[in-house]
Amino acid sequence: MKITSFNPLIATKEADTVTALFEELGFEKRHRSEGTNDNSDFLTTRMKDGNGFYVDVSQSDRVPRDMTAIRMNVDDFEGTIELLTAHGFVNANGGRVTDLGSSKSVFMMAPSGFCISVVKHIK
């Protein structure tokens, strides 16, 4: 498994407020991903600052309160899920994987409660 990027992700119902804060901190919006299918309903804004740091802000009405997670892009999606599962992580979306055609992702929760959003871009 190779990790191709690793950065914080904030899941919230109030993405505009969070992105405005990060803009004041020097981050710029890079691109937005929107997905609506059986497994997801979200709008994610990827932001980057002048030092090359990234933060993703995901808006969803399904989030009961703001959550901070780690976004981890990988080259081996299934292998990463197996590794995390072996360490006690569970799929926080009831076993569902979000597949948008150009990428697939899953929110994995550790036994202690922190989350990793595992993402693989389809080339």
Side-chain angles (χ1 to χ4, degrees):
M1 171 191 77
K2 178 181 174 188
I3 297 173
T4 57
S5 70
F6 193 87
N7 60 267
L9 177 146
I10 300 167
T12 181
K13 289 182 181 180
E14 303 292 333
D16 290 340
T17 303
V18 176
T19 55
L21 168 64
F22 278 92
E23 285 176 322
E24 287 185 43
L25 291 170
F27 284 79
E28 296 179 1
K29 294 176 184 175
R30 301 288 289 185
H31 71 271
R32 296 181 104 161
S33 300
E34 189 167 350
T36 304
N37 62 26
D38 292 341
N39 301 328
S40 68
D41 182 13
F42 65 89
L43 174 65
T44 300
T45 302
R46 186 145 175 88
M47 302 180 80
K48 183 179 180 182
D49 79 350
N51 296 309
F53 294 112
Y54 286 91
V55 64
D56 291 355
V57 180
S58 266
Q59 180 166 317
S60 175
D61 290 333
R62 296 183 188 184
V63 180
R65 61 181 169 74
D66 286 2
M67 295 175 46
T68 304
I70 299 167
R71 172 186 168 149
M72 185 169 69
N73 287 18
V74 296
D75 66 342
D76 180 0
F77 188 79
E78 289 76 15
T80 302
I81 302 307
E82 287 176 20
L83 177 100
L84 293 174
T85 301
H87 285 274
F89 281 73
V90 296
N91 182 320
N93 292 323
R96 296 179 305 221
V97 172
T98 300
D99 188 342
L100 298 177
S102 62
S103 67
K104 56 184 173 178
S105 63
V106 65
F107 224 64
M108 299 293 291
M109 183 178 289
S112 62
F114 78 91
C115 293
I116 298 177
S117 176
V118 179
V119 180
K120 171 159 173 94
H121 288 281
I122 311 299
K123 299 175 183 172

